[in-house]
Amino acid sequence: MKRTREKTTKYIQQHLPRLLAVMWALWNMATAAAYVDRVPPQLEVVDKATIVPLWIIWAFAAVALALGVLAPSTAPDKVQDVARWLRIGGMMIACAALIVWTVAFFYDEPRGWVTGKNYAVLAAMAAFTTWTIARDTARRERVVAV
C-alpha cells in the first residue's frame, strides 16, 4: 500500500504541471469556440478595442499551452525552457483575458456582477495554477532554472 501511494505521488508530481496546462488549454479552446459566432453585448467594447476577434485571443492561449505540454520533463534543458515559457505565455494571456472579462461583466448592470465574480475566481485560479504549470515537475523548487 505504501509503495502504491509513493508511486502515485511521484506520478502526480511529475505530471501535474502538464495535466493542469492541458486542462487550461481545453478550457481556453472551449472559450474560443464560444466566441467564434457571437460576442455578447457585455464584451462589445472589448471586441472593438482589440485588433483580432476575441476568439483568437483564447485560441492563441490554448495553442501556446498545448505546445508547452508537448516537451517531456526529460527533454534537454533548452527544450524544457521553451516549453515552460510557452505554458507561462499561454497562462498570461488567459489571466489577462479573464481580468478583462471580469471588469467588462461587472460594469453590466444590474446583474453583471454575478458573471463578473465567476470570471474573477477563474482569473485567481489561473494565476494560482500558473506557478505549478511553469514547472517541469510539481516538486521542483524553482520555476525557472538559472
Side-chain angles (χ1 to χ4, degrees):
M1 182 69 165
K2 184 177 179 181
R3 182 150 166 78
T4 303
R5 188 176 72 209
E6 288 172 358
K7 194 174 181 180
T8 302
T9 300
K10 184 178 178 183
Y11 181 85
I12 290 171
Q13 288 172 348
Q14 184 176 3
H15 297 288
L16 183 63
R18 284 167 180 76
L19 292 172
L20 286 171
V22 166
M23 184 273 311
W24 277 108
L26 291 171
W27 187 88
N28 278 283
M29 194 51 71
T31 304
Y35 291 110
V36 168
D37 295 333
R38 182 177 173 277
V39 175
Q42 300 89 338
L43 296 171
E44 285 176 358
V45 172
V46 176
D47 186 48
K48 290 176 184 166
T50 59
I51 297 170
V52 297
L54 296 179
W55 71 269
I56 290 178
I57 295 168
W58 293 106
F60 191 77
V63 168
L65 283 162
L67 291 174
V69 169
L70 294 178
S73 57
T74 56
D77 287 346
K78 277 194 168 194
V79 173
Q80 287 182 34
D81 287 344
V82 169
R84 186 177 310 112
W85 282 108
L86 282 167
R87 293 190 307 267
I88 291 169
M91 288 306 294
M92 286 173 56
I93 293 166
C95 284
L98 285 166
I99 290 167
V100 170
W101 263 238
T102 298
V103 172
F105 277 93
F106 263 109
Y107 278 107
D108 184 44
E109 294 296 330
R111 302 235 345 126
W113 67 270
V114 176
T115 302
K117 71 165 176 58
N118 295 336
Y119 281 117
V121 169
L122 281 168
M125 291 311 299
F128 180 74
T129 57
T130 298
W131 181 257
T132 300
I133 290 170
R135 299 170 182 213
D136 291 318
T137 64
R139 194 120 160 104
R140 187 173 172 165
E141 303 254 338
R142 294 177 292 154
V143 174
V144 177
V146 283

